[in-house]
Amino acid sequence: MFGRLLSRLTHAAAVCAVVAVAVFALLQSAPGDPFALALEGADVPAAVRAEWRARYGLDQPPAAQFVRWAGALARGDFGYSTSRRQPVAAVVSEAFPRTLVLVGTALVLGFAAGVWIALVQTRHHRRWPDRAFSMVTLAGVALPEFLLALLAMTWLGARWGLFPVAGVGSLGDAAAWPLWLRAVDFLWHLALPASVLSLAVASRVARHQRAALLSVMREDYVRTARAKGLGEWQVIRRHALPNAIGPVIALLGLALPSLVGGAVLIERVFGWPGMGLTLFEALLARDYPLVLAAVLLATVFAVVARTLTEFIADVVAPRRPQAT
Amino acid sequence: MTPLLSVEALRVDVARGAGVRILEDVSFSLSSGEAVGVLGASGSGKTTLALAMLGLLPPTLVARGSVHFEGHEVLSASRGARRAVRGRRCSIVFQEPLTALNPRMRVVDQVAEVALAHGERDGRRARDAAVQMMERVGLANAAAQAARLPHELSGGERQRVLLAMALLLEPALLIADEPTSALDVTVQAQVLQVLRAQQRERGMSLLMVSHDLGVLAVLCSRVLVLHEGRLVEDAPTRQLLETPAHPFTRAIVAAVRRMERPA
């Protein structure tokens, strides 16, 4: 158990290191640098440009810059964001929890809804509830998330005015509201982006879970369960689901990185100032330290989440030795 | 006296396989306390017959005709009515004792579930009854084995768990579909003994499906012979062994005789 955990952690660390080097190299090879926009005008003397670049170490060879950056990181210093004009750590510690809430909500809601849909579909296999949900989940898988986001925003947000279209909280005197009201306000803002992301997760989970359930329903022990006089719901919940949910949990772990990727689009569309939006803006501004930190954090998040889901899948549905 | 189970003109077809018939015009009856064997080669429709008795046919098969059990029609019964019979008045033991058990559920819970499905509310009492029944069908060290998962038991032990499950609510009829064909000979003999004891003690009826005439001869007073979906013979076991009427039966009896007395 601990041996496996250790090897997983080593693996995770290696992945993060590779990602850090790769992203650094890509940033270096792209044209421009953090001061390209601010300083490249004709009215800035060359000496000023050189002085600013020297101050941030940008005049040194890429390898030296990388060593300097990695060394600072090892001391817990993420560097200084050139576009936000504050330490990277401060930017990230504000943005990361927002993404965590968004993705976490989508994950929990989407997983629960997806499994529930698959159960209903299996219960009514080849009848209208099955067919109707199949159409919905196909659409949820096939439609790009940003399109769903724009639709939700246009109708639920703008036309009917049920939900705010952007941001994490109301503006104006909202800062003076009592805590509970600000919490409600936050959830109200969370509703649309989280629902769109949940719908995407639920569709994928439902399609895989349905297939897994239907294949398990052909097993002999399901027939045994029916022969006991159990109702169809009990047969599905007690006998089919425990044998069909393991692979779906593992799949969720594999899908997490793309979920974080999807969150970038959702955050952009809904103006949700999480890691996705931060990364997007940092890229446009060639803000090296912030981009590096954001990508690295996303990698760590994906790796940790995957290790965690593998662990959960192991606990919920332990691998059993093959029958002799 | 009306028979416990009476089957009339039972036909089973593949739902969308034009004209593929699995059972053709099968009729027989079984009275209370009687042990009847169904003999047939593989593919003769034995298992389909067994499943039809409980209305457990997969949706790909369509049954017509009539199956009367304890005065009620099975084939046309509502889901709820069928469920009330299954496991309580009529149970079934399947062939493969490993795949017939849920690999992720403790065996005691799988046995106790029968009681819980039929009105028992107290989980602990259901489990106690389950352990008792597992002991009665000869599962050694039942109290300790109860908490195990199916793959931790041997083939014979798993078959006893299935038996305990089928017998827990003391059904009037037990259908056994090749209950011993996956077991080695000594375990086979033990399981047959348990079946006979249960049948004699409680006056339970038994419908036993097998390709093995020897196994049927041990337990059954009457044997039906199923050949390519048709019932070709229905005779007391002794008569069947001495003067088999149908060519298929004659061939089987002759084969068994040759094995018993090698030249």
Side-chain angles (χ1 to χ4, degrees):
Chain A
M1 188 77 212
F2 280 108
R4 204 155 87 201
L5 196 66
L6 199 68
S7 90
R8 275 177 181 167
L9 286 178
T10 320
H11 181 83
V15 168
C16 293
V18 169
V19 167
V21 173
V23 172
F24 199 90
L26 281 172
L27 280 177
Q28 287 290 339
S29 58
D33 70 18
F35 299 113
L37 280 177
L39 301 181
E40 283 308 331
D43 50 340
V44 182
V48 173
R49 276 183 240 160
E51 203 223 303
W52 275 99
R53 295 214 160 103
R55 188 182 292 182
Y56 285 89
L58 295 167
D59 54 344
Q60 290 170 26
Q65 289 188 41
F66 182 75
V67 169
R68 211 171 79 134
W69 174 75
L73 188 65
R75 292 192 305 274
D77 178 9
F78 283 89
Y80 189 82
S81 163
T82 46
S83 63
R84 300 290 192 93
R85 284 154 216 266
Q86 53 179 323
V88 168
V91 177
V92 167
S93 66
E94 200 182 5
F96 188 63
R98 291 187 187 132
T99 292
L100 211 58
V101 168
L102 178 61
V103 172
T105 310
L107 208 59
V108 172
L109 285 183
F111 183 71
V115 170
W116 181 81
I117 289 172
L119 286 172
V120 171
Q121 286 187 294
T122 307
R123 172 71 183 81
H124 300 286
H125 184 41
R126 294 195 180 168
R127 291 191 296 272
W128 69 264
D130 183 22
R131 292 178 207 280
F133 272 129
S134 276
M135 267 156 58
V136 171
T137 57
L138 182 64
V141 169
L143 288 179
E145 279 152 12
F146 70 85
L147 189 65
L148 289 174
L150 287 174
L151 284 174
M153 206 172 178
T154 310
W155 289 97
L156 297 171
R159 299 260 165 107
W160 300 336
L162 298 175
F163 295 98
V165 291
V168 284
S170 297
L171 302 172
D173 56 354
W177 291 351
L179 187 63
W180 69 267
L181 197 57
R182 272 184 292 162
V184 170
D185 188 51
F186 177 75
L187 290 179
W188 189 47
H189 281 77
L190 178 66
L192 275 192
S195 309
V196 170
L197 214 48
S198 303
L199 193 66
V201 176
S203 300
R204 279 165 185 79
V205 168
R207 294 191 79 80
H208 282 97
Q209 185 68 80
R210 174 179 178 272
L213 277 171
L214 288 177
S215 104
V216 165
M217 289 301 279
R218 287 195 288 270
E219 297 282 343
D220 283 354
Y221 53 79
V222 169
R223 191 173 62 183
T224 306
R226 290 198 180 112
K228 287 176 186 176
L230 289 176
E232 200 60 13
W233 260 120
Q234 288 168 301
V235 171
I236 294 172
R237 265 205 347 259
R238 292 178 55 95
H239 293 273
L241 188 61
N243 287 288
I245 201 167
V248 179
I249 296 178
L251 175 112
L252 215 57
L254 288 175
L256 253 171
S258 69
L259 187 61
V260 175
V264 174
L265 292 176
I266 298 290
E267 286 184 5
R268 175 88 181 92
V269 173
F270 285 103
W272 185 265
M275 288 307 290
L277 197 59
T278 303
L279 175 62
F280 183 79
E281 285 166 356
L283 270 170
L284 290 185
R286 298 259 182 279
D287 188 342
Y288 292 174
L290 189 51
V291 171
L292 282 168
V295 172
L296 208 55
L297 199 65
T299 311
V300 170
F301 178 68
V303 169
V304 165
R306 187 172 158 194
T307 310
L308 214 62
T309 43
E310 272 172 8
F311 181 73
I312 292 173
D314 254 16
V315 170
V316 172
R319 277 169 224 164
R320 65 205 158 83
Q322 280 304 303
T324 46
Chain B
M1 192 185 119
T2 55
L4 182 71
L5 174 75
S6 76
V7 176
E8 264 165 61
L10 178 68
R11 283 174 302 157
V12 175
D13 298 284
V14 174
R16 264 173 280 179
V20 181
R21 182 149 291 178
I22 294 173
L23 287 179
E24 171 84 61
D25 201 23
V26 170
S27 304
F28 67 91
S29 65
L30 188 153
S31 29
S32 204
E34 196 182 12
V36 172
V38 177
L39 180 71
S42 49
S44 59
K46 291 172 302 196
T47 297
T48 303
L49 180 64
L51 292 177
M53 300 301 98
L54 277 168
L56 273 176
L57 289 175
T60 47
L61 299 182
V62 180
R64 292 189 194 82
S66 123
V67 175
H68 245 73
F69 176 70
E70 293 192 319
H72 298 286
E73 179 55 48
V74 174
L75 296 182
S76 62
S78 69
R79 278 164 183 273
R82 279 188 206 177
R83 257 191 3 236
V85 169
R86 287 177 192 164
R88 190 169 60 89
R89 299 302 302 158
C90 178
S91 294
I92 187 163
V93 179
F94 292 108
Q95 183 171 5
E96 286 293 333
L98 177 58
T99 57
L101 288 170
N102 182 342
R104 297 195 200 281
M105 199 188 267
R106 299 190 306 168
V107 292
V108 66
D109 292 326
Q110 300 197 44
V111 177
E113 209 179 22
V114 187
L116 297 172
H118 292 284
E120 173 66 80
R121 294 185 173 273
D122 186 344
R124 176 182 300 239
R125 219 162 56 199
R127 280 194 297 277
D128 286 347
V131 171
Q132 257 174 34
M133 185 49 86
M134 287 193 276
E135 255 163 26
R136 262 172 62 193
V137 297
L139 182 70
N141 207 359
Q145 303 277 54
R148 301 238 158 103
L149 293 173
H151 68 81
E152 296 170 315
L153 304 182
S154 71
E157 288 168 334
R158 291 196 281 256
Q159 194 57 277
R160 286 170 206 272
V161 170
L162 278 177
L163 263 176
M165 199 186 280
L167 294 171
L168 186 69
L169 298 182
E170 315 211 323
L173 171 64
L174 178 71
I175 297 170
D177 180 13
E178 302 260 16
T180 58
S181 63
L183 306 176
D184 62 59
V185 182
T186 42
V187 182
Q188 191 172 346
Q190 291 166 2
V191 169
L192 289 180
Q193 206 139 34
V194 171
L195 274 178
R196 173 148 66 183
Q198 289 294 319
Q199 192 236 331
R200 299 253 160 104
E201 276 169 29
R202 300 212 341 263
M204 178 183 73
S205 300
L206 182 67
L207 184 69
M208 180 136 160
V209 174
S210 180
H211 63 273
D212 186 343
L213 185 54
V215 166
L216 295 181
V218 174
L219 283 177
C220 306
S221 55
R222 214 172 97 221
V223 173
L224 316 171
V225 181
L226 202 58
H227 183 55
E228 292 177 356
R230 287 167 185 276
L231 212 52
V232 293
E233 198 154 353
D234 178 351
T237 311
R238 178 174 293 263
Q239 186 191 327
L240 190 95
L241 288 170
E242 284 166 2
T243 57
H246 192 268
F248 174 72
T249 325
R250 278 207 290 276
I252 288 185
V253 172
V256 173
R257 292 246 186 281
R258 267 202 303 284
M259 274 163 48
E260 278 174 354
R261 287 186 229 113

